[in-house]
Amino acid sequence: MSLITERSKISPFMVFYIIMSMQIGVGVLGFQRIIAQTAGHDAWISVLVAGAGGHLILALMYWILQKANGDFIHLHHQLFGRWLGNVLLLALTIYFASMSFVVLRTYIEVIQVWMFPDLRTWEFALAFLLLCLYITRNGFRVVVGVCFFCLIIPFYLLFTFGSVLEYTNFRQLLPVLDHPLPSILKAAKEMTLTMLGYETILLFYPFLKNGQQSSKWGHAALLSTTLFYTLLTVLTLAYFSEKQLQRQVWATLTMWKMVEMPFIERFEYIGIANWLLVILPNVCLGLWCSSRLCTHIFPIQQKYALLVITCICFAAIIAVQDRTGVNTINEVISKVGFYFLYAWIPFLAILTYVRTKRRDAQ
Amino acid sequence: MKRTALLWIALVAALLSGCLRKEILDDISIESAIGLDDAGASKIRGTVLIPIYKKEETTNKTLTSVSISVNDLLEELQHQASEPLVNGSIEILLYGKRLAEKGIFPFVDHFHRDASIGTGLYLAVVDGTAERLLKGHYGRQGNAIYLSNLLKHNIEQRDIPKTNLHLFLKAYYADGQDPFLPYIRRAGKNVYIQGIALFRGDRVVDYIQRNDLFFFKILTDAYTEGTHTLRIDHNLYISIKNIATSRNISFSGSQTQPHVHIHLSLEGVVREYKPTPFSPSIRPLIERQFEKEIKKKTSELIKRFQQQQIDPIGIGEWAKSHYRRFRYRDFYRRYRDLPVHVTADVRIRDTGIIE
């Protein structure tokens, strides 16, 4: 375990900002259609179910981290040995890197469809990734600072949804629980991509002063995100009629089309531009996590690992060319994320449990 | 050295990102209204209104062309325009009566799909052609602002139910509701609202006349400030201004045999009373009379909707949120003979500053 100096550690309450800003990403712009497809007007229940599932998994993560003395990487080596452990960690590296890549590519698509059709993917990706490189190479504390500001600054966007209230009809949410339980659970599963982000705790945990104390802040962040998503889902379901919602690729952005202000004709442009701040911590933290993993697998310094990963991300972003490609990468990362959280983490917990039992017995 | 290289890359990237197409306000023509008319053989005749801002007042310029689709039409019109036409600021879309009766959805889709168009813009059906209406000259702020203001204040303060592109699409896509749009007409140098055009799917099938608008609004919208003049005796009139309305639609009976109950409650103030002075003692009488009138008129409207097999009120949507596992098809199969019972409750709150 490499030693982390006290100087580069952060206070436990910062976990709140990290997790929340990591969770809120591009998914928010259009998750409503996907969950309403199976759960209809009960989709908001699915969001709550997904949130509850998240709390469970987060609690499991904290338990594993406690048993592993806070070192998730070392745990893999202990449980699976050097070689297999490295293979698994490499998979994890790819997972975190691809999270950055998916978020950025999806955001670029939004810009291309809504604002600048002639924006070249590589131009924006290059500029954005350079910014991320600049932030991330200065270490974890700087990344956390970005997380903090990128949650606080776009916070005002929440109030803009007030202007759609005039056109909402909350009776559309009735009758509650009109859909069978399996479809509600299926929609909760579809929520995974939008909920993803709190698993980064596994890697930045060693950077916390009093790691276990941060658990309440982690749960608070998860709860806030869940409530925010529930609120947004309820508003969306009350605003659109069911079949109309199915036609909206980015329901959140379409809702902004109703915002009218005397000084701005199309508010969604402001919203999309501001969303850059929302996805900035997503990409930065994803890059940071994967580069940190790299240093434990290969004999390489973090800043060089970062450079390599960023270049790979850049290449991957250019390779995805159209809407279908973007949809595919979103679906894939959503699936991988789901199995990582709901299969891999419980599996690790069981292994950890068995190991501690055996050690106690000895 | 390395830092300088990084700086260079950043600089190049920043410069390259600046090479996007710009739209400078002075160098573009902003479309403010579009009118579409039927041109036979599944073609449409489109008229685009461009405001020209001058020091004194805004003048209007129209461009007209015939084409097969809206997008094609707008492309066609670019050939006539000296500056690129952009459609980020459209206030109102007008559909000629003949086109509206054939179905307008294919000609709404373009505006729905375009990311640069808001969903708060108005749609209206024109008695006659949209082209003729747009070629008039109304008001000092330009035709588009004139028309949208005309609709806006009538929606906010009078008897036109809330309507815009979003609500039209919402009702169009909903299984339990049919859309409606304001029905306007040009008369010489003026435009007036003639009533409401009722749609089945995306085709206009019926029109509501001006004197029924008050009752239509209290049926479809939660809130109205419309005024209604009630005739009590052959010579006795009272004008009541509506302050607050609430409507509740409830259902009794099973899903296969629903009974619909519509309850309307109104709160109003007396605006005018003639020819004798108003006395508080006749207030209950007026209230009962008004209730009777509301019941009669709204029941007539509902009967009419049932005969036309249209549902502008959205009774189907109300039913859906009442019954579990609701099925629209079964509901609308029996729609024509659905027993609908209307009750009204009127309360006159005050009588103005005189008694």
Side-chain angles (χ1 to χ4, degrees), chain B residues 104-169:
Chain B
I104 64 168
F105 187 73
F107 312 112
V108 177
D109 185 73
H110 173 81
F111 302 105
H112 186 196
R113 200 175 291 276
D114 192 333
S116 69
I117 294 176
T119 46
L121 63 94
Y122 293 122
L123 270 64
V125 177
V126 179
D127 187 11
T129 65
E131 187 185 353
R132 201 177 94 83
L133 192 137
L134 283 179
K135 284 197 167 153
H137 182 73
Y138 328 100
R140 293 167 57 88
Q141 289 176 292
N143 288 352
I145 301 287
Y146 178 88
L147 290 171
S148 73
N149 281 350
L150 173 77
L151 290 175
K152 191 177 184 173
H153 90 90
N154 275 292
I155 288 167
E156 281 171 4
Q157 292 158 23
R158 297 286 173 262
D159 46 14
I160 303 293
K162 240 185 257 168
T163 162
N164 56 33
L165 177 59
H166 168 70
L167 291 176
F168 176 81
L169 291 167

Side-chain angles (χ1 to χ4, degrees), chain B residues 45-219:
Chain B
R45 184 178 183 79
T47 310
V48 165
L49 184 81
I50 302 156
I52 298 164
Y53 300 104
K54 288 182 183 160
K55 215 172 183 182
E56 293 286 301
E57 59 172 350
T58 307
T59 53
N60 308 290
K61 188 181 163 190
T62 53
L63 301 173
T64 307
S65 180
V66 175
S67 187
I68 199 92
S69 71
V70 176
N71 195 48
D72 203 36
L73 184 96
L74 294 177
E75 290 300 314
E76 194 67 36
L77 286 170
Q78 299 281 10
H79 295 154
Q80 300 179 26
S82 66
E83 289 156 341
L85 296 171
V86 296
N87 45 15
S89 176
I90 298 174
E91 297 278 337
I92 186 163
L93 294 176
L94 300 172
Y95 294 91
K97 185 176 177 171
R98 257 176 60 202
L99 184 68
E101 285 174 359
K102 277 178 153 182
I104 64 168
F105 187 73
F107 312 112
V108 177
D109 185 73
H110 173 81
F111 302 105
H112 186 196
R113 200 175 291 276
D114 192 333
S116 69
I117 294 176
T119 46
L121 63 94
Y122 293 122
L123 270 64
V125 177
V126 179
D127 187 11
T129 65
E131 187 185 353
R132 201 177 94 83
L133 192 137
L134 283 179
K135 284 197 167 153
H137 182 73
Y138 328 100
R140 293 167 57 88
Q141 289 176 292
N143 288 352
I145 301 287
Y146 178 88
L147 290 171
S148 73
N149 281 350
L150 173 77
L151 290 175
K152 191 177 184 173
H153 90 90
N154 275 292
I155 288 167
E156 281 171 4
Q157 292 158 23
R158 297 286 173 262
D159 46 14
I160 303 293
K162 240 185 257 168
T163 162
N164 56 33
L165 177 59
H166 168 70
L167 291 176
F168 176 81
L169 291 167
K170 183 175 181 174
Y172 175 78
Y173 282 120
D175 287 322
Q177 192 173 12
D178 288 311
F180 53 81
L181 291 178
Y183 185 46
I184 60 178
R185 176 198 174 100
R186 176 180 174 182
K189 286 189 164 177
N190 281 314
V191 176
Y192 68 88
I193 300 174
Q194 217 177 358
I196 293 279
L198 301 171
F199 287 75
R200 183 191 297 134
D202 67 338
R203 289 159 198 243
V204 173
V205 290
D206 201 357
Y207 299 92
I208 286 181
Q209 298 309 312
R210 219 175 336 169
N211 42 4
D212 281 335
L213 280 181
F214 178 84
F215 302 103
F216 185 69
K217 180 148 184 179
I218 58 175
L219 272 178

Side-chain angles (χ1 to χ4, degrees), chain B residues 182-325:
Chain B
Y183 185 46
I184 60 178
R185 176 198 174 100
R186 176 180 174 182
K189 286 189 164 177
N190 281 314
V191 176
Y192 68 88
I193 300 174
Q194 217 177 358
I196 293 279
L198 301 171
F199 287 75
R200 183 191 297 134
D202 67 338
R203 289 159 198 243
V204 173
V205 290
D206 201 357
Y207 299 92
I208 286 181
Q209 298 309 312
R210 219 175 336 169
N211 42 4
D212 281 335
L213 280 181
F214 178 84
F215 302 103
F216 185 69
K217 180 148 184 179
I218 58 175
L219 272 178
T220 51
D221 212 337
Y223 176 73
T224 165
E225 283 187 66
T227 310
H228 184 68
T229 304
L230 191 69
R231 184 167 170 235
I232 294 166
D233 255 332
H234 62 283
N235 226 350
L236 200 62
Y237 290 94
I238 182 165
S239 280
I240 296 168
K241 186 178 161 62
N242 194 8
I243 297 294
T245 330
S246 77
R247 112 199 118 122
N248 187 33
I249 302 181
S250 54
F251 298 85
S252 57
S254 65
Q255 201 189 125
T256 47
Q257 307 247 281
H259 284 252
V260 185
H261 182 103
I262 301 180
H263 181 74
L264 303 162
S265 62
L266 265 86
E267 215 172 284
V269 292
V270 175
R271 266 296 157 93
E272 196 175 342
Y273 186 71
K274 72 172 194 177
T276 58
F278 180 81
S279 65
S281 58
I282 63 165
R283 186 148 82 180
L285 177 85
I286 290 166
E287 287 177 349
R288 295 297 89 73
Q289 190 83 8
F290 199 18
E291 281 167 12
K292 237 163 85 187
E293 173 122 343
I294 289 172
K295 256 193 245 179
K296 185 168 149 262
K297 284 286 175 66
T298 51
S299 299
E300 274 170 21
L301 279 178
I302 292 164
K303 262 269 116 57
R304 192 160 135 199
F305 301 153
Q306 286 179 312
Q307 254 141 34
Q308 294 271 15
Q309 280 282 6
I310 53 174
D311 187 5
I313 306 168
I315 298 177
E317 287 298 307
W318 281 82
K320 185 192 179 270
S321 49
H322 183 264
Y323 292 110
R324 281 184 181 274
R325 312 259 185 282

Side-chain angles (χ1 to χ4, degrees), chain A residues 12-21 151 214 217-218 220-222 224:
Chain A
F13 80 93
M14 290 306 276
V15 170
F16 180 83
Y17 300 103
I18 303 173
I19 289 190
M20 208 172 161
S21 67
L151 188 69
S214 73
W217 294 107
L222 202 55
S224 312

Side-chain angles (χ1 to χ4, degrees), chain A residues 32-34 36-37 241-248:
Chain A
Q32 299 98 322
R33 170 172 84 145
I34 301 158
Q37 208 156 21
S241 55
E242 214 164 319
K243 285 191 177 159
Q244 189 188 12
L245 179 57
Q246 285 313 312
R247 304 250 322 203
Q248 312 299 330

